[in-house]
Amino acid sequence: MIIVDTALKQREAEGKPRRVALVGAGFAARGVAQQLLTPLPGMRLAAIVNRTASKAIGLFHESSSSPVVEATSGSQFDTAVRQGKPVVTDDITVARNCDDIDVIVDTTGQVEYGAHIATAAIAAGKPLVMANAELDATLGPLLKRKADAAGVTISNTDGDEPAVAMNLFRFVSTIGLRPVMAGNIKGFLDVHRNPESQREFAERVGQKPPMIVSFADGTKLSLESAILANATGLGVHRRGMTGFEVEHVMDLPGQLSAEELLRHPRVDYVLGAKPGNGAFVVVHSDRPIKQQYMQYFKMGDGPLYLFYTPFHLPPFQLPATIGRVALLGDAAVAPQGAPVADVIAMAKRPLAAGQTLDGIGGFDCYGTIDDAVTSLGGRLLPMGIAGGCTLNRDVAIDQPLTYDDVELPEGRLCDGLRTEQDNWLRSEHPSCATA
């Protein structure tokens, strides 16, 4: 089933590697840059786009002593890419407009800036790899719709849990098994963690506290689960999912009802289970002969069986996604239609009128997954939209925020796109209240 490596080797042999513009210069970008500068067959890191040029230059210099061009114009950028010289810029439109850039990779983890990156890539007809769960869970369905209309392939990245699960989902489907549940293997969850409680750990692993908080408080789990739901059509059983505590992920089928999952296939997760990392898919088969073979191959008695991958390695696996989108038009994971799931903002502490929310990974809110139609009907505030909003009334701890609770900042692209996405979903579910 692996063909992208062959396609990339062919590009390398032909002397026509895909040239990549990487957006961002943080923790995720550093790992991706290291991979692309190895170099890998069939692709080259041609440019880095970052608002602080020195950080982008530093990523190149970690792997090469070659001079880096700091482009101040489109023509200077284009010339550097054409000549094979590493180049940095602070302007995404410069990379978008360069005919010699083949793929754009977003590692920013920002919704507003990510929306500008995505719309720029789509407008230019360039494939986009999103290592940006925050954006994908908030606006992914609409961006995919726009990309399809433009004939552009966009994808979340191999190596993050949604694509790890999606690769399993596609695999089990091709061998005649029916997926009924999929999700993350989660090690720890405390929705009230904040940048202060996670600061020491963040410093130890070289990441910013908000990113570590988003892992610990479950926001990233919900974002990734929503991405998976939107890509597979698996539903959300209840707000926040269930979260099964088992000793090993292979024990999960024994906790599940086949009848219930056949009626309501869903995303969910296991908590604290070995192997402590990766993603899983639960499948169903009630055919007696297939069950005999599955039992013989030590997959259990059925009718539910579990497949899992015990690791996820985003920076190492992302280049495969570049090859998939650029050479095969194949997304690792992408929405298949209108939203199935949403991630809503919940108060992490008592919130007061007049307060400006600090967003994902902060002190104020955590994100939790919910059904998209439920979210729309309740005018629930998406976690990806919450940052920068000002409260116009108090909200109690662990209560969901709504659009009626806040004033949105003026002039944000993400708000206009979210309204467009909500109107699309509303058109398919007219019973939802009008915003």
Side-chain angles (χ1 to χ4, degrees):
M1 296 177 68
I2 298 175
I3 59 175
V4 67
D5 59 338
T6 302
L8 287 167
K9 288 175 183 176
Q10 182 176 345
R11 297 296 301 194
E12 187 71 25
E14 294 170 350
K16 298 178 181 178
R18 301 286 84 181
R19 285 170 287 200
V20 179
L22 176 65
V23 188
F27 182 86
R30 185 187 187 201
V32 174
Q34 286 290 307
Q35 283 296 99
L36 294 177
L37 291 168
T38 298
L40 299 174
M43 64 185 76
R44 298 289 186 272
L45 178 58
I48 299 176
V49 182
N50 194 62
R51 286 174 281 194
T52 304
S54 61
K55 291 184 178 179
I57 293 171
L59 293 190
F60 275 117
H61 281 167
E62 283 187 332
S63 297
S64 171
S65 58
S66 300
V68 178
V69 177
E70 188 173 346
T72 57
S73 67
S75 60
Q76 188 181 16
F77 183 93
D78 294 351
T79 299
V81 173
R82 196 176 311 115
Q83 294 177 348
K85 297 178 180 178
V87 59
V88 303
T89 179
D90 63 359
D91 188 354
I92 184 59
T93 61
V94 170
R96 175 197 69 184
N97 294 335
C98 179
D99 292 337
D100 293 311
I101 290 294
D102 301 303
V103 183
I104 294 175
V105 177
D106 170 18
T107 65
T108 64
Q110 301 295 317
V111 175
E112 175 65 6
Y113 187 34
H116 285 274
I117 295 165
T119 52
I122 293 167
K126 296 187 187 298
L128 173 69
V129 177
M130 293 183 290
N132 188 343
E134 295 80 356
L135 173 69
D136 199 352
T138 306
L139 295 171
L142 179 68
L143 294 173
K144 174 64 161 52
R145 190 186 202 192
K146 291 180 178 294
D148 286 349
V152 174
T153 303
I154 67 172
S155 175
N156 210 286
T157 175
D158 280 293
D160 255 350
E161 287 95 338
V164 174
M166 191 70 203
N167 287 336
L168 285 172
F169 188 97
R170 291 173 64 174
F171 167 70
V172 297
S173 298
T174 64
I175 62 173
L177 300 173
R178 178 180 175 180
V180 291
M181 179 185 281
N184 289 16
I185 301 171
K186 179 71 174 169
F188 174 83
L189 179 62
D190 178 355
V191 298
H192 299 123
R193 291 299 173 111
N194 61 53
E196 191 57 42
S197 68
Q198 303 308 112
R199 187 172 306 281
E200 181 179 344
F201 180 77
E203 291 174 354
R204 189 161 67 246
V205 298
Q207 293 209 52
K208 295 180 180 179
M211 180 59 70
I212 297 300
V213 172
S214 73
F215 300 147
D217 72 4
T219 298
K220 189 60 71 78
L221 169 67
S222 285
L223 293 170
E224 291 171 345
S225 299
I227 292 167
L228 183 59
N230 290 337
T232 60
L234 296 174
V236 181
H237 178 60
R238 67 182 189 186
R239 179 177 295 169
M241 303 177 288
T242 299
F244 294 87
E245 297 188 41
V246 291
E247 183 175 348
H248 193 283
V249 66
M250 288 297 292
D251 300 328
L252 178 60
Q255 304 294 314
L256 305 174
S257 162
E259 292 75 17
E260 180 184 349
L261 288 177
L262 288 171
R263 289 194 304 269
H264 303 290
R266 68 184 195 254
V267 293
D268 218 306
Y269 67 100
V270 294
L271 183 63
K274 297 176 182 178
N277 196 0
F280 68 88
V281 174
V282 177
V283 301
H284 178 271
S285 178
D286 58 3
R287 293 177 177 267
I289 295 176
K290 283 190 177 183
Q291 288 184 334
Q292 289 176 18
Y293 277 93
M294 292 292 277
Q295 186 179 49
Y296 175 77
F297 289 114
K298 299 179 175 57
M299 293 298 292
D301 296 330
L304 296 177
Y305 305 94
L306 186 136
F307 292 74
Y308 73 98
T309 300
F311 60 86
H312 76 293
L313 302 167
F316 294 91
Q317 295 177 258
L318 185 145
T321 319
I322 294 173
R324 292 172 71 168
V325 302
L327 302 180
L328 306 174
D330 177 47
V333 57
Q336 296 305 303
V340 172
D342 196 12
V343 180
I344 62 171
M346 305 284 291
K348 189 178 287 189
R349 60 182 180 179
L351 301 175
Q355 181 176 345
T356 298
L357 300 175
D358 56 9
I360 293 172
F363 290 92
D364 298 333
C365 301
Y366 60 92
T368 196
I369 193 170
D370 207 342
D371 175 75
V373 174
T374 299
S375 174
L376 180 66
R379 290 179 50 79
L380 302 179
L381 184 69
M383 187 66 211
I385 297 295
C389 293
T390 302
L391 288 170
N392 54 36
R393 57 191 180 197
D394 297 348
V395 179
I397 188 171
D398 293 324
Q399 293 302 302
L401 282 78
T402 72
Y403 276 103
D404 298 323
D405 295 326
V406 300
E407 294 293 333
L408 300 175
E410 293 185 3
R412 295 194 307 190
L413 174 63
C414 65
D415 295 319
L417 292 173
R418 181 62 192 222
T419 297
E420 186 178 349
Q421 180 172 288
D422 286 348
N423 287 340
W424 171 26
L425 181 59
R426 188 175 291 108
S427 73
E428 299 194 358
H429 298 274
S431 61
C432 289
T434 302

